[in-house]
Amino acid sequence: MRNTKQKQIINSVIEQLFHFTSDDLISKVSEIDSTIGRATIFRYLNELIEQKKLQKVHLDKKVVYDNCMHEHNHFVCEKCGKIIDLVKTQPICNPYGLVINRSSVTYYGLCDDCQK
């Protein structure tokens, strides 16, 4: 894969974002270089997903991109929308001998700030 100037700009923005939407990325990239089009950004997002450098996370009402590639769960604050990574601490009980390749769990509630 060629490392073009456009990809370098997109990468630099991704490194600064945390659980971002495509609109977040497009907005930030266009602040730096308005000639980089939506199609280019989406193509590159798909490349990063295929290369396992980025993952697409489907939440209730939106899709976010996550550059934290270790296996983890998410917590979404129902009041402010903050998304927090949660470390998986216990393996699941698997009495059926299933082969589990990956899992994704999202918890919903109130973050510390919104509980005050």
Side-chain angles (χ1 to χ4, degrees):
M1 173 184 79
R2 289 182 340 156
N3 190 16
T4 65
K5 177 83 171 159
Q6 291 177 328
K7 288 178 182 179
Q8 290 172 1
I9 291 170
I10 296 168
N11 276 330
S12 71
V13 172
I14 288 173
E15 289 172 3
Q16 299 171 24
L17 296 175
F18 186 70
H19 296 118
F20 59 93
T21 65
S22 56
D23 287 339
D24 295 334
L25 181 60
I26 290 165
S27 174
K28 296 286 186 189
V29 167
S30 69
E31 289 174 10
I32 298 168
D33 185 342
S34 62
T35 65
I36 301 175
R38 292 176 64 89
T40 300
I41 293 171
F42 277 105
R43 264 193 312 276
Y44 190 50
L45 282 172
N46 287 328
E47 280 182 39
L48 292 173
I49 291 167
E50 287 175 19
Q51 296 169 2
K52 303 205 183 308
K53 294 181 179 177
L54 194 66
Q55 60 181 318
K56 191 185 251 190
V57 179
H58 297 269
L59 302 174
D60 276 349
K61 297 177 182 169
K62 68 180 178 178
V63 172
V64 297
Y65 296 90
D66 189 353
N67 53 15
C68 178
M69 294 307 295
H70 70 274
E71 196 167 337
H72 62 284
N73 295 320
H74 293 100
F75 173 89
V76 179
C77 180
E78 295 175 305
K79 187 171 183 182
C80 70
K82 182 190 301 183
I83 302 169
I84 300 168
D85 287 339
L86 300 175
V87 176
K88 290 186 177 184
T89 57
Q90 296 180 346
I92 65 163
C93 178
N94 183 4
Y96 306 106
L98 304 171
V99 176
I100 299 171
N101 294 321
R102 63 184 186 88
S103 68
S104 176
V105 176
T106 304
Y107 299 93
Y108 295 87
L110 295 176
C111 68
D112 287 342
D113 293 337
C114 291
Q115 291 177 45
K116 297 174 185 172

